Amino acid sequence: MNDEVIFCCVLKAEISRWQQIADFLQRNNLNIDLDIEQFIVALDEQQQLVACGGIAGRVLKCIAIEPALRGHGLALRLMTTLINQAFSLQRYELFLFTKPENEALFAECGFHLLASVDDQVILMENSATRIHRYCRQLAQQRQPGQRIGGIVMNANPFTLGHRYLVQQACRECDWVHLFVVQENASEFPYEDRLALIKAGVADFKNLTVHPGSDYLISRATFPSYFLKSQKIINHCHMALDLQLFRQQIAPALGINRRYVGTEPLCPVTAQYNREMAYWLTTETLSAPVIELHEIERRQQAAQPISACRVRELLARKGPDAVRSLVPETTYRYLWQHYGSPPVAHSLAV
Amino acid sequence: MSKLRRSMLFVPGANAAMLSNSFIYQPDALMFDLEDSVAITEKDTARLLVFHALQMPLYKDIEKVVRVNPIDSPYGKLDVEAVVRAGVDVVRLPKTDSAEDILEMERHILAVERKCGRPEGSTRMMAAIESAQGVINAPEIAKASPRLIGIALGAEDYVRNIRTERSPDGIELLFARCSILQAARAAGIAAFDTVYSNANNEEGFIHEAEHIKQLGFDGKSLINPRQIELLHNVFAPTRKEVGHARLILEAAENAASQGLGVVSLNGKMIDAPIIERARWVLQRAEASGIRQ
Amino acid sequence: MKITQQSHAGTLESGDVLIRIQPVDTQEIEIELESVVEKQFGTAIQRLIHDTLNKLNITGVRVIVEDKGALDCVIKARVQAALIRATGTQLLEQNWSEL
């Protein structure tokens, strides 16, 4: 019946079309997410929008079909077009956000459930095995012990506050697994953040530093984390991210405690910590409980040390202003990027 | 006797489901399309789908035509390689403007036949004429190769080329249709009409089918399986035609059994073309029944 | 031949199949199959895909198959198309008789 439907791609710059999509989604009880770059839309013979699906990085979402046309194979054609569009952008490993009642439909399109939040949202990915392969790889780095800690950090950049957190965890645990947020959405690129962490924790002997992945605070599982400037934090994204940690990643490594710093300065992280308490420790969820250890922030000059504060000082006053807040390795790195080499500088002083 | 080719059903080459099941519709020929119905990004996978569909046992007994991309496009040569190797019956050239287009295609077909060990000349050709230049050159095109079984009008591109659009009565196509028909008949090959693009308008389709049958066309390309039976019915002979054809053939058999060189019926002499035509009427009656 | 890049071919429509090809670190052939006819034809489809890859000497690959009831010839065509997309038309030109 919908042979006459035409599929086309709409970019964000096409303002009137974008508005049309927003209206269509609204009629279907959805909002356009801010990180969507493009939509695939289906137009009928009268050029009316009858279906759409958005692409944000490797995530497909805001997928809707005109109620009257559901069940005519339009969904499969839309999804084929949407998936092929993502593939042609070289994005092969895809995630999808939808409502739980649509799980079966997207299962038909090759998507598998990763995590769900009540009756609100589910996260799926287009592989039945990818997360299991990832967890199998993690499991090879399991370490013996009763108390196994886990830390996820962005470290933008790595400060003495971060180091203090790692130190406390290493002191209290038999082994600690530290994951570095992989997305390159921060001021300091991922490779540099990873290198600074490794350099800053080299003296701890019961610690593994893991590269990040799509399943840990990534644009896929937790898109709103990277829209901090919008001051919007999506409770559901947070819940999905924490469930993946509790149900998949922690069991692979035997992690039974998660360490975080108290967060007085950054509202997104502060809320994340509160949610964490619920999603990691609620007994009713299927996976084993993970103890949450919130470590009081290390202070300097009666103020907590945080990456927010370091970035702000750095921007206003330069590397020397943050010297007492960061490890030597980070300080040297900052000089290389923000001024003349520290050696030359100290001679000048 | 020449093969019956009233209906040629277009099957988009990228549509896996249609390629898998279009044998159930029983048109006189299937035309798998690699050209305009296939998006640029799907050309490679459509070519392989058609390559394998051509070899499906279910299609063994049906004539298979493939419309390939123009030989000067990035896809044409690979298309020819694929379909000739897969045993296609007829290669349909799109956008044929001159006899040279035919000769060039023929060279490629011959080269592939030699490479894969297929008998030389066993791949037949059909040329679609889709421009004013092609219509003007139709007589040379029609005679360009012994492989040619027929020429066809491709109206969608043609009307754009002559700067008009298609109308219900088809007046804008009359010159092209007549030219193509004349060229085909003069060369002793078949003439095929273009598609009727509104699949939902049965009345309009029948009207056009009657029109091209009256002009003398052998058949028509179709885009919707529903059009097959409608077309066959238009091409079915009337009871009167069938009765007359039977009488002619009986007279011819009688004459032959008596060793007579001349056949006559009702006092009139009947020559070979009339007998041939009577056979053709009965063939159509056998295929389509008597016209309703 | 070793696969070095990802590729895909096909659709999710009925009678078709969506194929994804990914390089893997080993020399293995891994097949992830989802099919509407998995119970009846799962093994046959697996074998068909193995044969198709073997004929073209392809190793070190993961094939992800989302089958919507495609005929063998459609599956073969889509797998071959995805392979050619991942490796270039040389594969096609040199292997007509193996397709």
Side-chain angles (χ1 to χ4, degrees):
Chain A
M1 281 311 286
N2 43 55
D3 282 340
E4 297 80 10
V5 168
I6 293 174
F7 289 93
C8 52
C9 177
V10 179
L11 299 176
K12 214 168 189 167
E14 298 166 62
I15 292 163
S16 69
R17 278 257 188 252
W18 204 259
Q19 188 53 48
Q20 242 183 319
I21 295 170
D23 297 343
F24 177 73
L25 284 172
Q26 197 128 53
R27 288 199 298 278
N28 289 281
N29 303 317
L30 288 167
N31 291 317
I32 289 196
D33 282 359
L34 292 165
D35 56 343
I36 294 183
E37 308 140 60
Q38 56 179 284
F39 272 94
I40 292 292
V41 299
L43 302 173
D44 70 4
E45 276 175 323
Q46 285 81 45
Q47 302 272 299
Q48 291 300 306
L49 217 161
V50 293
C52 72
I55 303 180
R58 287 187 287 125
V59 180
L60 310 180
K61 55 186 174 180
C62 295
I63 303 165
I65 291 170
E66 180 70 35
L69 295 177
R70 285 175 200 166
H72 288 292
L74 182 58
L76 288 184
R77 289 184 62 202
L78 173 73
M79 286 308 292
T80 294
T81 316
L82 194 59
I83 290 169
N84 274 319
Q85 175 72 5
F87 286 175
S88 62
L89 296 165
Q90 303 297 314
R91 299 170 190 173
Y92 285 98
E93 288 166 340
L94 299 176
F95 295 87
L96 182 148
F97 282 100
T98 187
K99 294 188 173 150
E101 61 263 32
N102 298 326
E103 185 184 339
L105 170 67
F106 292 111
E108 272 185 55
C109 306
F111 283 83
H112 299 263
L113 185 68
L114 279 175
S116 64
V117 181
D118 310 329
D119 53 352
Q120 299 182 63
V121 69
I122 57 175
L123 174 67
M124 305 176 84
E125 74 170 331
N126 67 343
S127 165
T129 59
R130 196 156 80 90
I131 188 158
H132 304 304
R133 288 200 306 273
Y134 172 65
C135 289
R136 267 204 305 278
Q137 273 178 0
L138 282 183
Q140 291 171 1
Q141 305 190 57
R142 257 182 110 101
Q143 296 289 340
Q146 296 296 312
R147 291 158 303 173
I148 305 294
I151 301 175
V152 182
M153 62 171 57
N154 192 20
N156 184 35
F158 187 69
T159 67
L160 288 174
H162 294 114
R163 189 181 145 84
Y164 179 70
L165 175 68
V166 177
Q167 189 176 32
Q168 292 304 312
C170 285
R171 198 170 285 163
E172 292 174 20
C173 295
D174 299 311
W175 200 270
V176 175
H177 295 279
L178 192 167
F179 295 90
V180 184
V181 173
Q182 195 170 35
E183 295 291 346
N184 255 326
S186 308
E187 270 149 272
F188 298 92
Y190 167 69
E191 287 72 23
D192 293 359
R193 287 185 286 111
L194 181 63
L196 289 180
I197 292 173
K198 282 185 170 165
V201 300
D203 51 325
F204 300 122
K205 297 303 172 211
N206 58 340
L207 175 74
T208 310
V209 179
H210 297 268
S213 79
D214 284 340
Y215 305 110
L216 277 154
I217 311 190
S218 72
R219 277 189 202 280
T221 55
F222 196 167
S224 51
Y225 184 89
F226 300 95
L227 298 170
K228 279 182 189 170
S229 58
Q230 317 281 347
K231 300 268 187 263
I232 299 166
I233 195 72
N234 187 320
H235 154 87
C236 292
H237 293 167
M238 221 174 241
L240 291 171
D241 182 72
L242 290 165
Q243 282 190 70
L244 278 177
F245 184 81
R246 177 167 169 186
Q247 291 171 346
Q248 306 283 351
I249 292 161
L253 289 164
I255 293 171
N256 48 25
R257 313 164 146 218
R258 182 148 164 180
Y259 283 81
V260 291
T262 53
E263 182 48 74
L265 296 181
C266 175
V268 174
T269 314
Q271 194 187 344
Y272 188 64
N273 288 356
R274 283 195 297 280
E275 296 274 339
M276 198 176 303
Y278 174 78
W279 290 104
L280 294 184
T281 60
T282 305
E283 294 275 359
T284 50
L285 294 178
S286 58
V289 166
I290 295 172
E291 292 170 21
L292 180 64
H293 292 253
E294 234 177 335
I295 304 293
E296 189 72 30
R297 280 276 164 159
R298 184 152 166 209
Q299 307 255 324
Q300 188 269 346
Q303 273 190 56
I305 302 176
S306 81
C308 285
R309 186 174 156 203
V310 167
R311 287 198 301 277
E312 196 237 344
L313 274 174
L314 190 63
R316 278 198 294 125
K317 297 183 175 167
D320 268 349
V322 303
R323 184 161 200 176
S324 56
L325 303 179
V326 300
E328 184 62 20
T329 41
T330 302
Y331 173 66
R332 249 185 269 140
Y333 166 87
L334 292 176
W335 259 112
Q336 277 160 17
H337 289 75
Y338 284 83
S340 48
V343 179
H345 175 78
S346 52
L347 284 177
V349 171
Chain B
M1 199 180 316
S2 69
K3 191 187 171 316
L4 207 53
R5 293 189 184 97
R6 298 158 300 178
S7 53
M8 257 185 299
L9 179 66
F10 256 112
V11 179
N15 188 322
M18 283 187 72
L19 282 173
S20 303
N21 64 21
S22 51
F23 63 89
I24 61 174
Y25 300 118
Q26 304 192 315
D28 293 333
L30 281 170
M31 180 152 51
F32 299 148
D33 182 32
L34 295 175
E35 201 215 6
D36 284 350
S37 73
V38 179
I40 300 283
T41 51
E42 296 298 305
K43 293 287 187 192
D44 53 349
T45 147
R47 181 185 304 124
L48 283 163
L49 281 174
V50 167
F51 174 79
H52 288 293
L54 285 169
Q55 302 174 66
M56 263 170 65
L58 287 165
Y59 288 126
K60 201 161 64 77
D61 297 325
I62 190 159
E63 184 169 61
K64 296 164 295 286
V65 181
V66 176
R67 180 165 79 167
V68 297
N69 287 285
I71 207 82
D72 56 3
S73 75
Y75 322 107
K77 285 177 192 149
L78 282 172
D79 289 349
V80 170
E81 177 118 28
V83 302
V84 171
R85 282 176 178 274
V88 71
D89 298 303
V90 180
V91 171
R92 174 166 162 141
L93 278 73
K95 304 185 175 62
T96 313
D97 290 334
S98 67
E100 178 49 37
D101 291 345
I102 304 278
L103 296 175
E104 196 193 356
M105 177 62 81
E106 187 170 34
R107 285 195 291 274
H108 287 288
I109 291 175
L110 181 63
V112 180
E113 283 176 343
R114 285 182 177 153
K115 261 204 288 188
C116 72
R118 187 175 163 164
E120 287 178 20
S122 63
T123 312
R124 316 305 298 274
M125 291 165 68
M126 174 193 284
I129 291 173
E130 309 182 41
S131 67
Q133 202 196 344
V135 170
I136 298 290
N137 290 332
E140 290 76 46
I141 291 171
K143 290 180 191 148
S145 164
R147 290 176 189 256
L148 274 179
I149 59 157
I151 52 178
L153 171 63
E156 304 301 329
D157 283 350
Y158 174 73
V159 292
R160 267 200 297 279
N161 185 240
I162 63 166
R163 299 190 194 161
T164 181
E165 54 199 35
R166 293 187 72 175
S167 67
D169 67 356
I171 187 74
E172 69 288 345
L173 296 179
L174 190 58
F175 179 79
R177 279 176 168 149
C178 292
S179 302
I180 285 169
L181 188 89
Q182 298 297 315
R185 295 296 176 249
I189 61 175
F192 303 104
D193 191 45
T194 187
V195 296
Y196 185 78
S197 41
N198 184 347
N200 296 319
N201 184 351
E202 286 194 2
E203 205 183 322
F205 173 78
I206 291 171
H207 177 77
E208 183 170 278
E210 285 173 340
H211 172 66
I212 60 106
K213 178 183 172 255
Q214 184 58 34
L215 287 177
F217 278 87
D218 295 274
K220 190 168 171 59
S221 303
L222 308 176
I223 49 166
N224 191 304
R226 283 206 305 271
Q227 295 172 332
I228 296 171
E229 208 188 324
L230 299 174
L231 181 71
H232 286 184
N233 196 36
V234 167
F235 270 85
T238 60
R239 194 170 297 281
K240 197 173 147 200
E241 284 174 311
V242 172
H244 193 66
R246 285 222 178 90
L247 289 178
I248 288 170
L249 291 181
E250 276 168 22
E253 277 163 29
N254 283 345
S257 65
Q258 292 169 55
L260 296 175
V262 179
V263 185
S264 68
L265 179 66
N266 205 16
K268 281 186 196 158
M269 198 182 81
I270 294 172
D271 56 10
I274 294 181
I275 296 169
E276 182 59 24
R277 176 157 179 87
R279 285 213 177 89
W280 189 63
V281 168
L282 289 188
Q283 185 194 17
R284 279 190 299 153
E286 210 169 297
S288 327
I290 309 284
R291 189 163 183 187
Q292 306 295 317
Chain C
M1 185 182 280
K2 185 108 176 81
I3 298 291
T4 51
Q5 65 178 55
Q6 303 206 30
S7 68
H8 71 283
T11 77
L12 294 166
E13 286 160 46
S14 175
D16 204 344
V17 60
L18 182 64
I19 301 282
R20 253 188 305 157
I21 303 258
Q22 301 177 334
V24 295
D25 296 335
T26 63
Q27 290 297 302
E28 304 283 294
I29 291 174
E30 292 175 28
I31 297 173
E32 273 182 36
L33 172 68
E34 301 263 339
S35 172
V36 291
V37 293
E38 198 161 343
K39 276 203 187 105
Q40 306 96 300
F41 299 112
T43 332
I45 295 172
Q46 296 251 5
R47 199 178 324 122
L48 174 71
I49 292 171
H50 270 286
D51 286 352
T52 307
L53 295 170
N54 289 340
K55 277 191 169 174
L56 295 170
N57 291 317
I58 304 283
T59 54
V61 70
R62 179 179 302 118
V63 185
I64 302 170
V65 185
E66 199 62 42
D67 172 45
K68 300 295 177 185
L71 297 183
D72 281 8
C73 65
V74 171
I75 297 175
K76 233 198 289 187
R78 294 302 198 189
V79 171
Q80 289 166 349
L83 289 172
I84 290 162
R85 286 175 176 185
T87 57
T89 49
Q90 225 189 343
L91 180 77
L92 181 68
E93 282 152 9
Q94 291 170 357
N95 288 287
W96 276 113
S97 50
E98 302 301 330
L99 295 182

